[in-house]
Amino acid sequence: MIVLGALLAWWAYTLANYPPDSGISRALANVRVDFPGFLEGIARRISAFGAILAALGAGLFFGAVYLVRFFRWVLGAAAVFAVGVWFWIVVLKA
């Protein structure tokens, strides 16, 4: 996810720095389309999506230790609960 976010950021950078062809700009101006502004808008959206994707990937990558610790704690608590129920049934109910 981090690499995909970086690739999207590179693509957005390339689009933002793309020199617009004057012929295309004039042709699109006839239909009232601002080609440089259009490219900049697309680059902004792509860069925002790339940044979100990279941040999510980094959070998952660097936060995986905490996620594993949490699930270990949950599984340990479940094991203690199971042993406690067994102890309660066998020893205290007998």
Side-chain angles (χ1 to χ4, degrees):
M1 289 175 76
I2 297 170
V3 173
L4 185 58
L7 288 174
L8 285 174
W10 173 75
W11 185 33
Y13 178 76
T14 303
L15 278 177
N17 289 329
Y18 182 74
D21 184 22
S22 62
I24 292 175
S25 292
R26 269 188 260 121
L28 288 174
N30 290 336
V31 291
R32 299 179 192 262
V33 174
D34 178 26
F35 189 60
F38 177 71
L39 285 180
E40 184 181 341
I42 289 176
R44 281 184 185 175
R45 286 187 173 87
I46 291 172
S47 67
F49 183 67
I52 291 169
L53 196 62
L56 184 63
L60 288 174
F61 181 75
F62 294 110
V65 172
Y66 301 110
L67 193 62
V68 168
R69 284 182 187 168
F70 174 73
F71 281 123
R72 281 184 185 167
W73 185 85
V74 168
L75 289 175
V80 168
F81 175 72
V83 170
V85 168
W86 170 80
F87 182 76
W88 179 70
I89 291 173
V90 172
V91 176
L92 300 177
K93 286 291 210 175

Coordinates of all heavy atoms in Angstrom, one line a residue:
M1 N 0.8 -1.2 0.0 CA 0.0 0.0 0.0 C 0.9 1.3 0.0 O 0.5 2.3 -0.6 CB -0.9 0.0 1.2 CG -2.0 -1.1 1.1 SD -3.0 -1.2 2.6 CE -4.0 0.3 2.4
I2 N 2.0 1.2 0.7 CA 2.9 2.3 0.8 C 3.5 2.6 -0.6 O 3.5 3.7 -1.1 CB 4.0 2.1 1.8 CG1 3.4 2.0 3.2 CG2 5.0 3.3 1.8 CD1 4.3 1.6 4.3
V3 N 3.9 1.5 -1.3 CA 4.5 1.6 -2.6 C 3.4 2.1 -3.6 O 3.7 3.0 -4.5 CB 5.1 0.3 -3.1 CG1 5.6 0.3 -4.5 CG2 6.2 -0.1 -2.1
L4 N 2.2 1.6 -3.5 CA 1.2 2.1 -4.4 C 0.9 3.6 -4.2 O 0.7 4.3 -5.1 CB -0.1 1.2 -4.2 CG -1.2 1.5 -5.2 CD1 -0.8 1.3 -6.6 CD2 -2.4 0.6 -4.9
G5 N 0.8 4.0 -2.9 CA 0.6 5.4 -2.6 C 1.8 6.3 -3.2 O 1.5 7.4 -3.7
A6 N 3.0 5.8 -3.1 CA 4.1 6.5 -3.7 C 4.0 6.6 -5.2 O 4.4 7.6 -5.8 CB 5.4 5.9 -3.2
L7 N 3.6 5.5 -5.8 CA 3.5 5.5 -7.3 C 2.4 6.5 -7.7 O 2.5 7.2 -8.7 CB 3.1 4.1 -7.8 CG 4.3 3.1 -7.8 CD1 3.8 1.7 -8.2 CD2 5.4 3.6 -8.7
L8 N 1.3 6.5 -6.9 CA 0.2 7.5 -7.3 C 0.7 8.9 -7.1 O 0.3 9.8 -7.8 CB -1.0 7.2 -6.4 CG -1.9 6.0 -6.8 CD1 -2.9 5.7 -5.8 CD2 -2.4 6.1 -8.2
A9 N 1.5 9.1 -6.0 CA 2.0 10.5 -5.8 C 3.0 10.9 -7.0 O 2.9 12.0 -7.4 CB 2.8 10.5 -4.5
W10 N 3.8 9.9 -7.5 CA 4.6 10.2 -8.6 C 3.8 10.5 -9.8 O 4.2 11.4 -10.6 CB 5.6 9.0 -8.8 CG 6.4 9.1 -10.1 CD1 7.5 9.9 -10.3 CD2 6.1 8.5 -11.3 NE1 7.9 9.8 -11.6 CE2 7.1 8.9 -12.2 CE3 5.2 7.6 -11.7 CZ2 7.2 8.5 -13.5 CZ3 5.3 7.1 -13.0 CH2 6.3 7.6 -13.9
W11 N 2.8 9.8 -10.0 CA 1.9 10.0 -11.2 C 1.2 11.4 -11.1 O 1.1 12.1 -12.1 CB 0.8 8.9 -11.3 CG 0.0 9.0 -12.5 CD1 0.3 9.4 -13.7 CD2 -1.4 8.6 -12.5 NE1 -0.8 9.3 -14.6 CE2 -1.8 8.8 -13.9 CE3 -2.3 8.1 -11.6 CZ2 -3.1 8.5 -14.3 CZ3 -3.6 7.8 -12.1 CH2 -4.0 8.0 -13.4
A12 N 0.8 11.8 -9.9 CA 0.2 13.1 -9.7 C 1.2 14.2 -10.0 O 0.9 15.2 -10.6 CB -0.4 13.2 -8.3
Y13 N 2.4 14.0 -9.5 CA 3.5 15.0 -9.7 C 3.8 15.1 -11.2 O 4.0 16.2 -11.7 CB 4.8 14.5 -9.0 CG 5.9 15.4 -9.2 CD1 6.0 16.6 -8.5 CD2 7.0 15.1 -10.0 CE1 7.1 17.5 -8.7 CE2 8.1 15.9 -10.2 CZ 8.1 17.1 -9.6 OH 9.2 17.9 -9.7
T14 N 3.8 14.0 -11.9 CA 4.0 14.0 -13.4 C 2.9 14.8 -14.1 O 3.1 15.6 -15.0 CB 4.1 12.6 -13.9 OG1 5.2 11.9 -13.3 CG2 4.4 12.6 -15.4
L15 N 1.7 14.5 -13.7 CA 0.5 15.2 -14.3 C 0.6 16.7 -14.0 O 0.2 17.5 -14.8 CB -0.8 14.6 -13.8 CG -1.3 13.4 -14.5 CD1 -2.6 12.9 -13.8 CD2 -1.5 13.6 -15.9
A16 N 0.9 17.1 -12.7 CA 0.9 18.5 -12.4 C 2.0 19.2 -13.1 O 1.9 20.4 -13.4 CB 1.2 18.6 -10.9
N17 N 3.1 18.6 -13.4 CA 4.2 19.2 -14.2 C 4.2 19.0 -15.7 O 5.1 19.4 -16.4 CB 5.6 18.8 -13.6 CG 5.8 19.3 -12.3 OD1 5.4 20.4 -11.9 ND2 6.5 18.6 -11.5
Y18 N 3.1 18.4 -16.2 CA 3.0 18.1 -17.6 C 2.8 19.5 -18.4 O 1.9 20.2 -18.0 CB 1.8 17.2 -17.8 CG 1.6 16.8 -19.3 CD1 2.4 15.9 -19.9 CD2 0.6 17.4 -20.0 CE1 2.2 15.6 -21.2 CE2 0.4 17.1 -21.3 CZ 1.2 16.1 -21.9 OH 1.1 15.8 -23.2
P19 N 3.7 19.7 -19.3 CA 3.5 20.9 -20.1 C 2.3 20.8 -21.1 O 2.4 19.9 -21.9 CB 4.8 21.1 -20.8 CG 5.3 19.7 -20.9 CD 4.8 19.0 -19.7
P20 N 1.3 21.6 -20.9 CA 0.1 21.4 -21.8 C 0.5 21.8 -23.2 O 1.1 22.9 -23.4 CB -0.9 22.3 -21.1 CG -0.2 23.2 -20.3 CD 1.1 22.6 -19.9
D21 N 0.0 21.1 -24.1 CA 0.2 21.4 -25.5 C -0.7 22.6 -25.9 O -1.9 22.6 -25.5 CB -0.2 20.2 -26.4 CG 0.1 20.3 -27.8 OD1 0.9 21.2 -28.2 OD2 -0.5 19.6 -28.6
S22 N -0.2 23.5 -26.6 CA -0.9 24.7 -26.9 C -2.1 24.4 -27.8 O -3.2 25.0 -27.7 CB 0.0 25.8 -27.4 OG 0.5 25.4 -28.6
G23 N -1.9 23.5 -28.7 CA -3.0 23.1 -29.6 C -4.1 22.5 -28.9 O -5.3 22.8 -29.2
I24 N -3.8 21.6 -28.0 CA -4.9 21.0 -27.2 C -5.6 22.0 -26.3 O -6.8 22.0 -26.2 CB -4.3 19.8 -26.3 CG1 -3.9 18.7 -27.2 CG2 -5.4 19.3 -25.4 CD1 -3.2 17.5 -26.5
S25 N -4.8 22.9 -25.7 CA -5.4 23.9 -24.8 C -6.3 24.8 -25.6 O -7.4 25.2 -25.1 CB -4.3 24.8 -24.2 OG -3.5 24.0 -23.3
R26 N -5.9 25.2 -26.9 CA -6.8 26.1 -27.7 C -8.1 25.3 -28.1 O -9.1 25.9 -28.1 CB -6.0 26.5 -28.9 CG -5.4 27.9 -28.7 CD -4.8 28.5 -29.9 NE -3.3 28.1 -29.9 CZ -2.7 27.4 -30.8 NH1 -3.3 27.0 -31.9 NH2 -1.4 27.2 -30.7
A27 N -7.9 24.0 -28.5 CA -9.1 23.3 -28.9 C -10.0 23.1 -27.7 O -11.3 23.2 -27.9 CB -8.6 21.9 -29.4
L28 N -9.5 22.8 -26.5 CA -10.4 22.6 -25.4 C -11.0 24.0 -24.9 O -12.0 24.0 -24.3 CB -9.6 21.9 -24.3 CG -9.4 20.4 -24.5 CD1 -8.5 19.9 -23.4 CD2 -10.6 19.6 -24.6
A29 N -10.3 25.1 -25.2 CA -10.8 26.4 -24.8 C -12.0 26.7 -25.6 O -12.9 27.5 -25.1 CB -9.7 27.4 -25.0
N30 N -12.1 26.2 -26.8 CA -13.3 26.4 -27.6 C -14.5 25.8 -27.0 O -15.6 26.3 -27.2 CB -13.1 25.8 -29.1 CG -12.1 26.6 -29.8 OD1 -11.9 27.8 -29.6 ND2 -11.5 26.0 -30.8
V31 N -14.3 24.7 -26.3 CA -15.5 24.1 -25.6 C -15.5 24.4 -24.1 O -16.1 23.8 -23.3 CB -15.5 22.5 -25.8 CG1 -15.8 22.2 -27.2 CG2 -14.2 21.9 -25.3
R32 N -14.7 25.5 -23.8 CA -14.6 26.0 -22.4 C -14.1 25.1 -21.4 O -14.7 24.9 -20.3 CB -16.0 26.6 -22.0 CG -16.5 27.7 -22.9 CD -17.8 28.2 -22.5 NE -18.4 29.0 -23.5 CZ -18.4 30.4 -23.5 NH1 -17.8 31.0 -22.5 NH2 -18.9 31.0 -24.4
V33 N -13.0 24.4 -21.7 CA -12.3 23.5 -20.8 C -11.0 24.1 -20.5 O -10.2 24.3 -21.4 CB -12.2 22.1 -21.3 CG1 -11.4 21.2 -20.4 CG2 -13.6 21.5 -21.5
D34 N -10.6 24.3 -19.2 CA -9.3 24.8 -18.8 C -8.4 23.6 -18.7 O -8.5 22.9 -17.6 CB -9.4 25.6 -17.6 CG -8.1 26.1 -17.1 OD1 -7.2 26.2 -17.9 OD2 -8.0 26.3 -15.8
F35 N -7.6 23.2 -19.7 CA -6.8 22.0 -19.7 C -5.8 22.0 -18.6 O -5.7 21.0 -17.8 CB -6.2 21.8 -21.0 CG -5.5 20.5 -21.2 CD1 -6.2 19.3 -21.0 CD2 -4.2 20.4 -21.5 CE1 -5.6 18.1 -21.2 CE2 -3.5 19.2 -21.6 CZ -4.3 18.0 -21.5
P36 N -5.0 23.1 -18.3 CA -4.1 23.0 -17.2 C -4.8 22.9 -15.9 O -4.3 22.2 -15.0 CB -3.3 24.4 -17.3 CG -3.5 24.8 -18.7 CD -4.8 24.3 -19.2
G37 N -5.9 23.6 -15.7 CA -6.7 23.5 -14.5 C -7.3 22.1 -14.3 O -7.4 21.5 -13.2
F38 N -7.7 21.5 -15.4 CA -8.2 20.1 -15.4 C -7.1 19.1 -15.0 O -7.4 18.3 -14.1 CB -8.7 19.8 -16.8 CG -9.2 18.4 -17.0 CD1 -10.4 18.0 -16.4 CD2 -8.5 17.4 -17.7 CE1 -10.9 16.7 -16.5 CE2 -8.9 16.1 -17.8 CZ -10.1 15.7 -17.2
L39 N -5.9 19.3 -15.5 CA -4.8 18.4 -15.1 C -4.5 18.6 -13.6 O -4.2 17.6 -12.9 CB -3.6 18.6 -16.0 CG -3.6 18.1 -17.4 CD1 -2.3 18.4 -18.1 CD2 -3.8 16.6 -17.4
E40 N -4.5 19.8 -13.2 CA -4.2 20.1 -11.8 C -5.2 19.5 -10.8 O -4.9 19.0 -9.8 CB -4.1 21.6 -11.6 CG -3.7 22.0 -10.2 CD -3.6 23.5 -9.9 OE1 -3.5 24.2 -10.9 OE2 -3.7 23.9 -8.8
G41 N -6.5 19.6 -11.2 CA -7.5 19.0 -10.4 C -7.4 17.5 -10.3 O -7.6 16.9 -9.3
I42 N -7.1 16.8 -11.4 CA -6.9 15.4 -11.4 C -5.6 15.0 -10.6 O -5.7 14.1 -9.8 CB -6.7 14.9 -12.9 CG1 -8.0 14.9 -13.6 CG2 -6.2 13.4 -12.9 CD1 -8.0 14.5 -15.0
A43 N -4.6 15.8 -10.7 CA -3.4 15.6 -9.9 C -3.7 15.8 -8.4 O -3.1 15.0 -7.6 CB -2.3 16.6 -10.3
R44 N -4.5 16.7 -8.0 CA -4.8 16.9 -6.6 C -5.6 15.7 -6.1 O -5.3 15.2 -5.0 CB -5.7 18.1 -6.4 CG -4.9 19.4 -6.5 CD -5.8 20.6 -6.2 NE -5.1 21.8 -6.3 CZ -5.6 23.0 -6.2 NH1 -6.9 23.1 -6.0 NH2 -4.9 24.1 -6.3
R45 N -6.5 15.2 -6.9 CA -7.3 14.0 -6.4 C -6.4 12.8 -6.3 O -6.5 12.0 -5.3 CB -8.5 13.8 -7.3 CG -9.6 14.8 -7.1 CD -10.8 14.5 -7.9 NE -11.9 15.4 -7.6 CZ -12.1 16.6 -8.2 NH1 -11.3 17.0 -9.1 NH2 -13.1 17.3 -7.8
I46 N -5.6 12.6 -7.3 CA -4.7 11.4 -7.3 C -3.7 11.5 -6.1 O -3.4 10.5 -5.4 CB -4.0 11.3 -8.6 CG1 -5.0 10.9 -9.7 CG2 -2.9 10.2 -8.5 CD1 -4.4 10.9 -11.1
S47 N -3.2 12.7 -5.9 CA -2.2 12.8 -4.8 C -2.9 12.6 -3.4 O -2.3 12.1 -2.5 CB -1.5 14.2 -4.9 OG -2.4 15.2 -4.6
A48 N -4.1 13.1 -3.3 CA -4.8 12.9 -2.0 C -5.1 11.4 -1.8 O -4.9 10.9 -0.7 CB -6.1 13.7 -2.0
F49 N -5.5 10.7 -2.8 CA -5.7 9.3 -2.7 C -4.4 8.5 -2.4 O -4.4 7.6 -1.6 CB -6.4 8.7 -4.0 CG -6.7 7.3 -3.9 CD1 -7.7 6.8 -3.0 CD2 -6.0 6.4 -4.7 CE1 -8.0 5.5 -3.0 CE2 -6.3 5.0 -4.6 CZ -7.3 4.6 -3.8
G50 N -3.3 8.9 -3.1 CA -2.0 8.3 -2.8 C -1.6 8.6 -1.4 O -1.0 7.7 -0.7
A51 N -1.8 9.8 -0.9 CA -1.4 10.1 0.5 C -2.2 9.3 1.5 O -1.6 8.8 2.5 CB -1.6 11.6 0.8
I52 N -3.5 9.2 1.3 CA -4.3 8.4 2.2 C -3.9 6.9 2.1 O -3.8 6.2 3.2 CB -5.8 8.5 1.8 CG1 -6.3 9.9 2.1 CG2 -6.7 7.5 2.5 CD1 -7.6 10.3 1.6
L53 N -3.6 6.4 1.0 CA -3.2 5.0 0.8 C -1.9 4.7 1.5 O -1.7 3.7 2.2 CB -3.2 4.6 -0.7 CG -3.1 3.2 -1.1 CD1 -4.4 2.5 -0.6 CD2 -3.0 3.1 -2.6
A54 N -0.9 5.6 1.3 CA 0.4 5.5 1.9 C 0.3 5.6 3.4 O 0.9 4.8 4.2 CB 1.4 6.5 1.4
A55 N -0.5 6.5 3.9 CA -0.7 6.7 5.4 C -1.4 5.4 6.0 O -1.0 5.0 7.1 CB -1.5 7.9 5.7
L56 N -2.3 4.9 5.3 CA -3.0 3.7 5.8 C -2.0 2.5 5.8 O -2.0 1.7 6.8 CB -4.2 3.4 5.0 CG -5.1 2.2 5.4 CD1 -5.7 2.4 6.7 CD2 -6.2 2.0 4.3
G57 N -1.3 2.4 4.8 CA -0.3 1.3 4.7 C 0.8 1.4 5.8 O 1.2 0.5 6.4
A58 N 1.3 2.7 6.0 CA 2.3 2.9 7.1 C 1.7 2.6 8.4 O 2.3 2.0 9.3 CB 2.8 4.3 7.0
G59 N 0.4 3.0 8.6 CA -0.2 2.7 9.9 C -0.4 1.2 10.2 O -0.1 0.7 11.3
L60 N -0.7 0.5 9.1 CA -0.8 -1.0 9.3 C 0.5 -1.6 9.5 O 0.7 -2.5 10.2 CB -1.5 -1.6 8.0 CG -3.0 -1.3 7.9 CD1 -3.5 -1.9 6.6 CD2 -3.8 -1.9 9.1
F61 N 1.5 -1.1 8.7 CA 2.9 -1.7 8.8 C 3.5 -1.4 10.2 O 4.0 -2.4 10.8 CB 3.8 -1.1 7.7 CG 5.1 -1.7 7.7 CD1 5.4 -3.0 7.2 CD2 6.2 -1.0 8.1 CE1 6.6 -3.5 7.2 CE2 7.5 -1.5 8.1 CZ 7.7 -2.8 7.6
F62 N 3.5 -0.2 10.6 CA 4.1 0.1 11.9 C 3.2 -0.2 13.1 O 3.7 -0.3 14.2 CB 4.6 1.6 11.9 CG 5.7 1.9 10.9 CD1 5.4 2.6 9.8 CD2 6.9 1.3 11.0 CE1 6.4 2.9 8.8 CE2 7.9 1.6 10.1 CZ 7.7 2.4 9.0
G63 N 1.9 -0.2 12.9 CA 1.0 -0.5 13.9 C 0.7 -2.0 14.1 O 0.0 -2.4 15.0
A64 N 1.3 -2.9 13.3 CA 1.1 -4.3 13.4 C 1.5 -4.9 14.7 O 0.9 -5.8 15.2 CB 1.7 -5.0 12.2
V65 N 2.6 -4.4 15.3 CA 3.1 -4.9 16.5 C 2.0 -4.7 17.6 O 1.7 -5.6 18.4 CB 4.4 -4.1 16.9 CG1 4.8 -4.5 18.3 CG2 5.4 -4.5 15.9
Y66 N 1.4 -3.5 17.6 CA 0.4 -3.2 18.6 C -0.9 -4.1 18.4 O -1.5 -4.5 19.3 CB 0.0 -1.7 18.6 CG 1.2 -0.9 18.9 CD1 1.7 -0.1 17.9 CD2 1.8 -0.9 20.2 CE1 2.9 0.7 18.2 CE2 2.9 -0.1 20.4 CZ 3.4 0.7 19.4 OH 4.5 1.4 19.7
L67 N -1.2 -4.3 17.1 CA -2.4 -5.1 16.8 C -2.1 -6.6 17.3 O -3.0 -7.2 17.8 CB -2.6 -5.1 15.3 CG -3.9 -5.6 14.8 CD1 -5.1 -4.9 15.4 CD2 -4.0 -5.5 13.3
V68 N -0.9 -7.1 17.0 CA -0.6 -8.4 17.5 C -0.6 -8.5 19.0 O -1.1 -9.5 19.6 CB 0.8 -8.9 16.9 CG1 1.3 -10.1 17.6 CG2 0.7 -9.1 15.4
R69 N -0.1 -7.5 19.7 CA -0.1 -7.5 21.1 C -1.5 -7.5 21.7 O -1.8 -8.2 22.6 CB 0.6 -6.3 21.7 CG 2.1 -6.4 21.6 CD 2.7 -5.1 22.2 NE 4.2 -5.1 22.0 CZ 4.9 -4.1 22.2 NH1 4.4 -3.0 22.7 NH2 6.2 -4.2 22.0
F70 N -2.4 -6.8 21.1 CA -3.8 -6.7 21.5 C -4.4 -8.1 21.3 O -5.1 -8.5 22.2 CB -4.5 -5.6 20.7 CG -6.0 -5.6 21.0 CD1 -6.5 -5.1 22.2 CD2 -6.9 -6.1 20.0 CE1 -7.8 -5.1 22.4 CE2 -8.3 -6.1 20.3 CZ -8.7 -5.6 21.5
F71 N -4.2 -8.7 20.2 CA -4.9 -10.0 20.0 C -4.3 -11.1 20.9 O -5.0 -12.0 21.3 CB -4.8 -10.4 18.5 CG -5.8 -9.8 17.6 CD1 -5.4 -9.0 16.6 CD2 -7.2 -9.8 18.0 CE1 -6.4 -8.3 15.8 CE2 -8.1 -9.2 17.2 CZ -7.7 -8.5 16.1
R72 N -3.0 -11.0 21.2 CA -2.4 -11.9 22.2 C -3.1 -11.7 23.5 O -3.3 -12.7 24.2 CB -0.9 -11.6 22.3 CG -0.1 -12.2 21.2 CD 1.4 -12.0 21.5 NE 2.2 -12.5 20.4 CZ 3.5 -12.2 20.3 NH1 4.1 -11.4 21.2 NH2 4.2 -12.7 19.3
W73 N -3.3 -10.5 23.9 CA -4.0 -10.2 25.2 C -5.4 -10.8 25.2 O -5.8 -11.4 26.1 CB -4.0 -8.7 25.5 CG -4.5 -8.4 26.8 CD1 -3.9 -8.4 28.0 CD2 -5.9 -8.1 27.1 NE1 -4.7 -8.1 29.0 CE2 -6.0 -7.9 28.5 CE3 -7.1 -8.0 26.4 CZ2 -7.2 -7.6 29.1 CZ3 -8.2 -7.7 27.0 CH2 -8.3 -7.5 28.4
V74 N -6.1 -10.6 24.1 CA -7.5 -11.1 24.0 C -7.5 -12.6 24.0 O -8.3 -13.2 24.7 CB -8.1 -10.6 22.7 CG1 -9.4 -11.3 22.4 CG2 -8.4 -9.1 22.8
L75 N -6.5 -13.3 23.3 CA -6.5 -14.7 23.3 C -6.1 -15.2 24.7 O -6.6 -16.3 25.2 CB -5.5 -15.2 22.3 CG -6.0 -15.1 20.8 CD1 -5.0 -15.5 19.9 CD2 -7.3 -15.9 20.6
G76 N -5.1 -14.5 25.4 CA -4.8 -14.9 26.7 C -5.9 -14.8 27.7 O -6.2 -15.7 28.6
A77 N -6.7 -13.7 27.6 CA -7.9 -13.5 28.4 C -8.9 -14.6 28.2 O -9.5 -15.1 29.1 CB -8.5 -12.2 28.2
A78 N -9.1 -15.0 26.9 CA -10.0 -16.1 26.6 C -9.6 -17.4 27.2 O -10.4 -18.2 27.7 CB -10.2 -16.2 25.1
A79 N -8.3 -17.7 27.1 CA -7.7 -18.9 27.7 C -7.9 -18.9 29.2 O -8.3 -20.0 29.8 CB -6.3 -19.1 27.3
V80 N -7.6 -17.8 29.9 CA -7.8 -17.7 31.3 C -9.3 -17.9 31.7 O -9.7 -18.6 32.6 CB -7.3 -16.4 31.9 CG1 -7.7 -16.2 33.3 CG2 -5.8 -16.4 31.8
F81 N -10.2 -17.3 30.9 CA -11.6 -17.5 31.1 C -12.0 -18.9 30.9 O -12.8 -19.5 31.8 CB -12.4 -16.6 30.1 CG -13.9 -16.8 30.2 CD1 -14.6 -16.3 31.3 CD2 -14.6 -17.5 29.2 CE1 -16.0 -16.5 31.3 CE2 -15.9 -17.6 29.2 CZ -16.6 -17.1 30.3
A82 N -11.5 -19.6 29.9 CA -11.9 -21.0 29.7 C -11.4 -21.9 30.8 O -12.1 -22.8 31.3 CB -11.3 -21.5 28.4
V83 N -10.2 -21.7 31.3 CA -9.6 -22.4 32.5 C -10.5 -22.1 33.7 O -10.8 -23.0 34.5 CB -8.1 -22.2 32.7 CG1 -7.6 -22.7 34.0 CG2 -7.4 -22.7 31.5
G84 N -10.8 -20.9 33.9 CA -11.6 -20.5 35.0 C -13.0 -21.2 35.0 O -13.5 -21.6 36.1
V85 N -13.6 -21.2 33.9 CA -14.9 -21.9 33.8 C -14.8 -23.4 34.1 O -15.6 -24.0 34.8 CB -15.6 -21.7 32.4 CG1 -16.8 -22.6 32.2 CG2 -16.0 -20.2 32.3
W86 N -13.7 -24.0 33.5 CA -13.5 -25.4 33.8 C -13.3 -25.6 35.3 O -13.8 -26.6 35.9 CB -12.3 -25.9 33.0 CG -11.8 -27.2 33.4 CD1 -12.3 -28.4 33.0 CD2 -10.7 -27.5 34.3 NE1 -11.7 -29.5 33.6 CE2 -10.7 -29.0 34.4 CE3 -9.8 -26.8 35.0 CZ2 -9.7 -29.6 35.2 CZ3 -8.9 -27.4 35.8 CH2 -8.9 -28.8 35.9
F87 N -12.4 -24.8 35.9 CA -12.2 -24.9 37.3 C -13.5 -24.7 38.1 O -13.7 -25.5 39.1 CB -11.1 -23.9 37.8 CG -10.7 -24.0 39.2 CD1 -9.9 -25.0 39.6 CD2 -11.2 -23.0 40.1 CE1 -9.5 -25.1 41.0 CE2 -10.9 -23.1 41.5 CZ -10.0 -24.1 41.9
W88 N -14.3 -23.8 37.8 CA -15.5 -23.6 38.5 C -16.5 -24.8 38.4 O -17.1 -25.2 39.4 CB -16.2 -22.3 37.9 CG -17.5 -22.0 38.6 CD1 -17.7 -21.5 39.8 CD2 -18.8 -22.1 38.0 NE1 -19.0 -21.3 40.0 CE2 -19.7 -21.6 38.9 CE3 -19.2 -22.5 36.7 CZ2 -21.1 -21.6 38.6 CZ3 -20.6 -22.5 36.4 CH2 -21.5 -22.0 37.4
I89 N -16.5 -25.4 37.2 CA -17.5 -26.5 37.0 C -16.9 -27.7 37.7 O -17.7 -28.4 38.4 CB -17.7 -26.8 35.5 CG1 -18.5 -25.7 34.9 CG2 -18.3 -28.1 35.3 CD1 -18.6 -25.7 33.4
V90 N -15.6 -28.0 37.6 CA -15.1 -29.3 38.1 C -14.9 -29.2 39.6 O -15.3 -30.1 40.4 CB -13.7 -29.6 37.4 CG1 -13.0 -30.8 38.1 CG2 -14.0 -29.9 36.0
V91 N -14.3 -28.1 40.1 CA -13.9 -28.1 41.5 C -15.1 -27.5 42.4 O -15.4 -28.1 43.4 CB -12.6 -27.2 41.7 CG1 -12.3 -27.1 43.2 CG2 -11.5 -27.9 41.0
L92 N -15.6 -26.4 42.0 CA -16.6 -25.7 42.9 C -18.0 -26.3 42.8 O -18.8 -26.1 43.7 CB -16.6 -24.2 42.6 CG -15.2 -23.5 42.8 CD1 -15.3 -22.0 42.4 CD2 -14.8 -23.6 44.3
K93 N -18.4 -26.9 41.7 CA -19.7 -27.5 41.5 C -19.8 -28.9 42.0 O -20.9 -29.4 42.1 CB -20.1 -27.4 40.1 CG -20.5 -26.0 39.6 CD -21.8 -25.6 40.3 CE -22.6 -24.7 39.4 NZ -23.9 -24.4 40.0
A94 N -18.7 -29.5 42.3 CA -18.6 -30.9 42.7 C -19.1 -31.1 44.1 O -19.3 -30.5 45.0 CB -17.2 -31.5 42.5

